[in-house]
């Protein structure tokens, strides 16, 4: 079984099969999640000092911060490099 690494910015990568969610960083519940992960030593900061734009949650319950937009990271997970639009999903 091959391991697929996904670039999350600034030369940092994650193993694709370990990531269970990619979410935007702006909402208050996400900020609380980030603070809890920091207290419990489960936070990985891959922003290189930049503004956090997305948060990745892993199957090991680690929280990874990235400076790359969540939509961009989601596209990198897709085999074709694009995410189907909502209208295409609803029509199938």
């Amino acid at each position: 079984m091959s391991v697929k690494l996904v670039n999350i910015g600034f030369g940092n990568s994650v193993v694709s099969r370990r990531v269970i969610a990619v979410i935007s960083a702006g909402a208050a519940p996400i900020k609380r999640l980030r603070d809890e992960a920091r207290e419990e030593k489960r936070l990985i900061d891959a922003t290189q000092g930049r503004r956090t734009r997305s948060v990745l949650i892993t199957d090991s319950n680690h929280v990874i911060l990235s400076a790359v937009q969540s939509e961009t990271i989601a596209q990198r997970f897709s085999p074709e490099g694009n995410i189907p639009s909502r209208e295409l999903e609803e029509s199938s």
Side-chain angles (χ1 to χ4, degrees):
M1 177 189 288
S2 66
V3 174
K4 181 181 175 193
L5 295 176
V6 176
N7 182 348
I8 60 167
F10 303 107
N12 299 301
S13 300
V14 295
V15 178
S16 63
R17 69 172 187 250
R18 301 292 305 265
V19 175
I20 58 172
V22 179
I23 49 183
S24 297
I30 304 308
K31 291 179 183 179
R32 283 193 297 272
L33 177 72
R34 181 174 54 188
D35 292 341
E36 289 172 8
R38 180 176 285 121
E39 290 173 8
E40 297 172 6
K41 308 291 189 218
R42 295 182 291 112
L43 183 71
I44 301 169
D45 188 350
T47 62
Q48 302 293 329
R50 310 294 198 299
R51 178 177 162 226
T52 301
R53 296 180 186 263
S54 61
V55 177
L56 291 85
I57 311 297
T58 66
D59 60 354
S60 62
N61 209 21
H62 284 84
V63 176
I64 304 170
L65 307 180
S66 174
V68 178
Q69 293 283 357
S70 57
E71 294 85 7
T72 303
I73 294 175
Q75 287 176 350
R76 294 175 184 176
F77 276 92
S78 174
E80 296 84 30
N82 60 2
I83 301 297
S85 70
R86 194 122 179 105
E87 291 120 19
L88 292 176
E89 291 174 359
E90 291 172 355
S91 65
S92 24

